[in-house]
Amino acid sequence: KQSNRDSNNDDDAAAAKQRQLFWKQTYKSILLDVFGLFVFIPTLVCIKTIVWPTHVMSFSMEDFPTPSIQSATTLLSMGIIHEFGFYWTHRLMHMYPSLYKYHKVHHEYKQNNVLSAQHFHPIDFLISIALPAILTTEIVRPHGFAQLQFGLWLLTANFDDHLGYAFPWAAVRWFPWSAGTDAHEYHHSVNMGCYGSKLSLWDWVFGTDNVYNEWRKKRWSLVD
C-alpha cells in the first residue's frame, strides 16, 4: 500500500510539472504573438513602406485583378517563389548554429498545436518568414488585392501546418505537391528534413524529404 501511495504521489507530481510547463509555454507563445502582431510586424511594414519604397503597391480598382489566367499565374508565381525562399531560409536556420539558436525557439514545441504557429524569435521571423515574403513581393509585384489573397493563404497554410491534426478536406491539400500536416509534425519531432512551407516541391527537388517518406511508409505498413 505504501508503494502504491508513493507511485501515485510521483504520478501527481509529474502531472503537476507537465501542467506547469504547459502554462509557461502557453504564456510565452501569447507574449510572442502579441509582440509580433502589434510591434514587430507593423515596424517591418513601416520600414518596407517608408525606408525601402522600391515597389508602390497598387490598390486601384482600375487594375483590379479580376479572376483570370493572369491573376492565377500571379498567385502561382508567388507561391512557387515564396516556397523556394522559405525552403532555403528555413534550411539555413537548421544548418548553422549561429542561426539555429534563434530558430530553436520555434522548436520548443515537439508536438504542434495552434500556439506554435507564431512561436518565433524575432530574428528567426525576420529571416525565415519576412524575408521570403518581401522578396516574393519585390519579384512578382502583385496588385494589393492579390497580395491580400496570398497573405491569407500563408496564414491558413501556417495554421494548418501547426494544428496537430490533418484535415483531409482542407483547401491547402488541393494542389500538386501539397505537403501534409504530418510532414511538418515530423519536422518538429525529429528536427530535420521537410523544410518547405505548404508545398513539398523543393524538398522533393533537393531530396530533403527522403527520411520522412521512409518513416511514413513504415508507419502506414504498421496500420495495414
Side-chain angles (χ1 to χ4, degrees), residues 33-45:
D33 280 357
V34 170
F35 175 77
L37 288 172
F38 296 105
V39 179
F40 194 63
I41 294 177
T43 301
L44 290 179
V45 171

Side-chain angles (χ1 to χ4, degrees), residues 18 25 43 55 80 82 110 122 136 144 168 177 180-181 195 199-200 208 218:
Q18 287 297 318
Q25 187 84 320
T43 301
H55 168 46
I80 294 174
H82 178 270
K110 303 302 179 185
T136 299
W177 282 300
T181 301
Y195 299 112
L199 295 178
S200 59
T208 47
K218 291 179 181 178

Side-chain angles (χ1 to χ4, degrees), residues 60-124:
S60 172
M61 293 299 294
E62 295 179 0
D63 57 347
F64 189 83
T66 55
S68 63
I69 293 178
Q70 182 179 359
S71 61
T73 54
T74 295
L75 293 172
L76 179 62
S77 299
M78 294 180 75
I80 294 174
I81 293 170
H82 178 270
E83 282 285 341
F84 183 80
F86 178 83
Y87 172 88
W88 277 108
T89 53
H90 186 195
R91 188 172 175 180
L92 289 172
M93 297 300 285
H94 279 269
M95 289 172 61
Y96 296 100
S98 58
L99 294 176
Y100 184 72
K101 67 181 180 181
Y102 302 113
H103 186 59
K104 71 179 181 180
V105 172
H106 184 61
H107 277 270
E108 289 174 349
Y109 282 91
K110 303 302 179 185
Q111 290 182 310
N112 287 317
N113 62 56
V114 71
L115 288 172
S116 63
Q118 299 297 319
H119 190 85
F120 291 99
H121 188 283
I123 300 298
D124 181 21

Side-chain angles (χ1 to χ4, degrees), residues 126-172:
L126 179 65
I127 296 173
S128 63
I129 305 299
L131 184 58
I134 292 172
L135 290 177
T136 299
T137 302
E138 287 299 307
I139 293 171
V140 179
R141 295 178 176 262
H143 186 277
F145 184 69
Q147 180 68 38
L148 173 63
Q149 288 177 299
F150 188 67
L152 291 174
W153 158 261
L154 291 181
L155 284 173
T156 303
N158 187 31
F159 282 120
D160 182 80
D161 266 344
H162 296 88
L163 279 177
Y165 297 91
F167 298 113
W169 43 260
V172 293

Side-chain angles (χ1 to χ4, degrees), residues 90 94 183 186-188 190-196 203 208-209 212:
H90 186 195
H94 279 269
Y186 175 83
H187 173 78
H188 270 259
V190 301
N191 210 19
M192 63 180 290
C194 299
Y195 299 112
D203 279 296
T208 47
D209 61 352
Y212 159 72

